[in-house]
Amino acid sequence: MTSENITIQKAIPEDAQGIGEVYYKTWLATYPNEEYGVTKEDIDFIFKDIKNSDGSKYISLPDNTVYFTAKENGHVVGVCKLVKHDDINELKSIYVLPEQQGKGVGKMFWSEALKFFDSTKDTVVKAVVYNKNAIEFYKKLGFRETGKIFYDETFRMQSGVIPPEIEMIIPATSTVV
Ligand SMILES: CC(C)(COP(=O)(O)OP(=O)(O)OC[C@H]1O[C@@H](n2cnc3c(N)ncnc32)[C@H](O)[C@@H]1OP(=O)(O)O)[C@@H](O)C(=O)NCCC(=O)NCCS
């Protein structure tokens, strides 16, 4: 299994539906969790308007933000959102369709992130505490846990639950003056 037929490019308006589907399918495969009270219905609720998405939120972005897609034969199989803040780089999300995981697509996105980010600043990412696969993946990229836990109000589920997230960091590359 390889990623040789997969290309990474900036999202375009025509990708909107495909991006929405990647989010929905990967969230369904990743986030329902009995212990933390996150259900399939919670995920369905978040994406109930997916078919009405005009995609503008993936395309009309401020200068400090970029969306990349991974495509195979024209179909979106992965998405990645990156934000350059004044003080830090933030890896907002990487989602790869379940059947395409483990083929190197996440690493392809990371290569783009390294080109986009400012290496003189810290890079942070948040991962849901029980999303062990993502945490292991980020460790592989060089991230380390900071010990901080976040409860993001925008991540509140229909049921009222907010899945806790850990923060992970790669410190800025020190520059020799
Ligand atoms: C986590 C995710 C983005 C990784 O992307 P991917 O395309 O599957 O990962 P890759 O194939 O590029 O793997 C890159 C490296 O990480 C390693 N890796 C990936 N998942 C891993 C895991 N669960 N445990 C250990 N190592 C892992 C791979 O072995 C590979 O190592 P290598 O460079 O030595 O070959 C993807 O699996 C995914 O979308 N998961 C579900 C959604 C999700 O949790 N997103 C993150 C939200 S915070």
Side-chain angles (χ1 to χ4, degrees):
M1 302 267 265
T2 68
S3 55
E4 63 191 28
N5 297 322
I6 292 178
T7 53
I8 307 286
Q9 53 203 229
K10 279 192 183 175
I12 54 171
E14 292 72 25
D15 294 336
Q17 187 69 27
I19 291 174
E21 283 172 14
V22 167
Y23 272 108
Y24 176 54
K25 287 179 183 167
T26 50
W27 276 49
L28 261 188
T30 305
Y31 293 125
N33 183 285
E34 206 170 329
E35 184 186 349
Y36 284 84
V38 179
T39 63
K40 178 182 175 301
E41 288 69 33
D42 282 326
I43 309 302
D44 282 340
F45 185 78
I46 291 169
F47 292 97
K48 65 184 185 323
D49 293 328
I50 186 175
K51 292 205 163 48
N52 301 323
S53 167
D54 66 0
S56 55
K57 69 175 175 179
Y58 307 122
I59 315 300
S60 309
L61 301 166
D63 286 347
N64 70 338
T65 304
V66 67
Y67 250 108
F68 284 105
T69 59
K71 284 189 188 170
E72 187 177 53
N73 303 322
H75 296 289
V76 181
V77 299
V79 300
C80 173
K81 184 181 183 186
L82 310 170
V83 182
K84 265 194 290 201
H85 300 282
D86 289 344
D87 49 347
I88 52 162
N89 306 303
E90 185 176 14
L91 176 50
K92 286 293 278 188
S93 53
I94 298 188
Y95 288 101
V96 179
L97 280 178
E99 61 271 26
Q100 299 283 355
Q101 290 170 14
K103 296 184 188 178
V105 178
K107 259 171 86 168
M108 290 171 81
F109 280 134
W110 181 238
S111 299
E112 294 300 328
L114 290 176
K115 287 184 231 163
F116 179 71
F117 285 156
D118 179 346
S119 64
T120 66
K121 293 173 183 165
D122 293 350
T123 299
V124 296
V125 66
K126 292 190 188 104
V128 169
V129 289
Y130 57 80
N131 190 358
K132 302 297 180 204
N133 285 330
I135 292 167
E136 289 307 313
F137 168 70
Y138 292 134
K139 281 184 185 165
K140 192 87 198 206
L141 300 183
F143 286 89
R144 293 293 171 258
E145 297 180 27
T146 64
K148 288 187 196 160
I149 300 271
F150 291 85
Y151 291 84
D152 181 350
E153 192 55 44
T154 63
F155 206 17
R156 187 181 288 282
M157 301 288 159
Q158 179 197 19
S159 57
V161 170
I162 301 179
E165 294 174 282
I166 62 161
E167 182 187 59
M168 302 181 78
I169 192 169
I170 296 180
T173 314
S174 51
T175 46
V176 180
V177 183

